């Protein structure tokens, strides 16, 4: 089955890529979840717009990714949120919250989908968050969560 990916699927490809997958995987998983659309000649025109959007937010090359990783390593990110007396948060910190906090702290604009939180951040304190900037470059950011 020939499909056009609309979002990044790990191990398969990036948005706009044309991939060949087994029929069941495409029909039962990729298409219903909106990760891919069926390949058609008209669909190829959509690839151009998907790739333009991806290029606008993607870090261009390895050198730029390493430079951004250096910026993120030196950054002090502080998030203020509501918390109970025991230090437990009301809810949790999302990747969107972290992307906004990095931008407010003077860091680069990050795509929230590139931020990886290993364990949900549900308490006040210091937490490490991983950011996948490039297939070969990953950076870690220290996020300080403060009750406010």
């Amino acid at each position: 089955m020939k499909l056009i990916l609309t979002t990044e699927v790990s191990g398969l490809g990036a948005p706009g890529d044309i991939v060949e997958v087994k029929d069941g995987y495409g029909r039962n998983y990729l298409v219903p979840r909106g990760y891919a659309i069926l390949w058609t000649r008209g669909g190829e025109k959509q690839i151009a717009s998907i790739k333009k959007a991806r290029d606008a937010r993607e870090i261009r090359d390895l050198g730029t990714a390493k430079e951004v990783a250096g910026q993120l390593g030196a950054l002090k990110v502080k998030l203020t949120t509501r918390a109970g007396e025991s230090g437990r948060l009301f809810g949790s910190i999302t990747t969107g919250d972290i992307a906004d906090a990095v931008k407010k702290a003077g860091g680069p604009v990050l795509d929230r989908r590139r931020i990886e939180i290993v364990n949900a951040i549900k308490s006040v304190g210091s937490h490490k968050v991983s950011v996948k900037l490039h297939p070969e470059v990953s950076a870690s950011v220290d996020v300080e969560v403060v009750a406010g």
Side-chain angles (χ1 to χ4, degrees), residues 44-103:
E44 283 195 45
K45 292 177 185 174
Q46 289 180 318
I47 292 174
S49 64
I50 291 171
K51 285 191 177 184
K52 280 183 190 176
R54 180 175 69 181
D55 289 343
R57 68 176 177 264
E58 189 174 291
I59 294 173
R60 298 266 181 240
D61 58 359
L62 187 61
T64 309
K66 288 181 179 178
E67 182 180 312
V68 171
Q71 290 176 355
L72 289 174
L75 205 60
K76 303 284 185 202
V77 178
K78 190 174 183 180
L79 266 164
T80 306
T81 186
R82 294 181 45 212
E85 292 178 18
S86 63
R88 191 159 167 84
L89 301 182
F90 297 130
S92 64
I93 302 296
T94 64
T95 56
D97 296 334
I98 293 170
D100 291 341
V102 167
K103 187 177 176 183

Side-chain angles (χ1 to χ4, degrees), residues 100-112:
D100 291 341
V102 167
K103 187 177 176 183
K104 285 180 187 174
V109 176
L110 297 176
D111 185 5
R112 66 175 176 78

